[in-house]
């Protein structure tokens, strides 16, 4: 099954035979509690807590809607919603930015998750059944770890040579760091990796040229 927000869960139910942790029609107290638990991914829970939560619902994958990790919406956005969740012990400290929240750092925490897909809008993580003692990072990731290209290697390696869409997904991912987070440092990491991996892809070359310009 897949654990995701209401929007993506609805799309998965319409377009696939996969089961979802959240149901788009959630007028039930248990499902409402699940929705609140999902909101926590925009806050600061430790990765092992998210892993345990996903496995408790039989979810093999987590599909992140990156809008919920952008800080969009201001006072009414996803970050503020986490402040109102009842019985929630993993709220972020005041003024915690997107770079320090699970929805960002969880994507490079290879102790508990394996990234399988990424573009500008979505990220898909495979939930590991147990803590990986051979992971690329042996501790809870921090904000500065996001700029370590080696920690994004599992995600970048998922870009297969036969996948014509993959190069475009990578540069769109790079562009999102500028448009969504105003973070040119991370954009530079992703663009250079895209160019290194797809040096002959015309879409990668076009987008990289626009980025440099």
């Amino acid at each position: 099954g897949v654990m995701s927000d209401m929007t993506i869960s609805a799309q998965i139910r319409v377009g696939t035979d996969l089961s979802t942790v959240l149901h788009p029609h959630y007028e039930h107290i248990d499902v409402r509690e699940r929705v609140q638990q999902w909101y926590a991914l925009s806050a600061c829970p430790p990765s092992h807590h998210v892993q345990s939560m996903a496995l408790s619902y039989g979810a093999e994958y987590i599909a992140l809607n990156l809008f919920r990790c952008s800080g969009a919406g201001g006072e009414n956005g996803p970050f503020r919603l986490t402040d109102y969740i009842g019985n929630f012990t993993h709220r972020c400290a005041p003024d915690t930015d997107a770079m320090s929240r699970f929805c960002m750092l969880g994507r490079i925490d290879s102790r508990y998750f394996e990234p399988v897909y990424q573009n500008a809008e979505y990220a898909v993580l495979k939930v590991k059944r147990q803590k990986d003692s051979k992971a690329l990072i042996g501790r809870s990731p921090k904000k500065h770890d996001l700029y370590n290209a080696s920690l994004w290697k599992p995600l970048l390696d998922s870009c297969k040579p036969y996948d014509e869409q993959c190069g475009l997904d990578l540069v769109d991912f790079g562009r999102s760091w500028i448009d969504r987070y105003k973070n040119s440092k991370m954009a530079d990491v992703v663009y250079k990796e895209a160019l290194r991996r797809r040096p002959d892809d015309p879409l990668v070359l076009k987008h990289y040229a626009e980025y440099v310009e």
Side-chain angles (χ1 to χ4, degrees):
V2 180
M3 186 168 74
S4 189
D5 67 359
M6 301 299 289
T7 304
I8 298 179
S9 295
Q11 295 171 3
I12 291 172
R13 289 182 64 83
V14 169
T16 76
D17 293 328
L18 298 172
S19 61
T20 58
V21 173
L22 298 186
H23 192 287
H25 308 114
Y26 66 106
E27 293 304 322
H28 187 281
I29 187 170
D30 290 341
V31 183
R32 284 183 177 273
E33 289 178 358
R34 293 187 187 189
V35 172
Q36 288 199 351
Q37 290 176 335
W38 174 260
Y39 286 156
L41 274 65
S42 295
C44 298
S47 293
H48 67 83
H49 173 86
V50 178
Q51 177 213 36
S52 297
M53 178 173 64
L55 293 177
S56 72
Y57 291 126
E60 299 170 290
Y61 295 91
I62 295 174
L64 293 168
N65 181 344
L66 300 184
F67 166 79
R68 295 189 173 278
C69 201
S70 67
E75 289 297 307
N76 297 313
F79 291 174
R80 285 288 288 154
L81 281 176
T82 61
D83 293 335
Y84 298 103
I85 297 175
N87 300 318
F88 179 52
T89 59
H90 300 303
R91 292 186 177 90
C92 298
D95 301 322
T96 299
D97 65 11
M99 303 297 126
S100 301
R101 293 171 181 263
F102 172 83
C103 51
M104 186 65 72
L105 295 178
R107 286 184 271 166
I108 60 170
D109 197 343
S110 54
R111 299 174 303 164
Y112 300 101
F113 309 103
E114 177 186 348
V116 296
Y117 181 74
Q118 174 81 63
N119 64 14
E121 305 298 331
Y122 307 106
V124 180
L125 307 176
K126 185 174 183 179
V127 183
K128 295 184 177 181
R129 304 296 300 181
Q130 57 188 8
K131 183 178 179 179
D132 186 350
S133 61
K134 298 181 179 179
L136 292 173
I137 189 167
R139 53 169 173 76
S140 298
K142 305 297 183 184
K143 181 177 179 177
H144 64 83
D145 293 317
L146 293 171
Y147 306 112
N148 183 346
S150 67
L151 296 180
W152 292 96
K153 187 176 185 297
L155 172 63
L156 298 169
D157 285 347
S158 70
C159 185
K160 305 302 182 184
Y162 56 78
D163 185 352
E164 296 180 357
Q165 179 68 24
C166 192
L168 181 59
D169 285 341
L170 285 180
V171 289
D172 280 348
F173 178 41
R175 181 70 194 186
S176 71
W177 286 96
I178 298 174
D179 293 343
R180 184 171 284 151
Y181 304 110
K182 313 302 180 188
N183 191 322
S184 59
K185 184 177 180 180
M186 188 60 205
D188 194 63
V189 170
V190 177
Y191 272 113
K192 287 180 177 177
E193 280 294 316
L195 185 65
R196 185 177 72 82
R197 291 164 181 270
R198 293 296 181 95
D200 300 318
D201 187 320
L203 288 174
V204 170
L205 293 172
K206 172 182 178 293
H207 283 266
Y208 184 75
E210 290 177 348
Y211 163 68
V212 172
E213 183 180 5

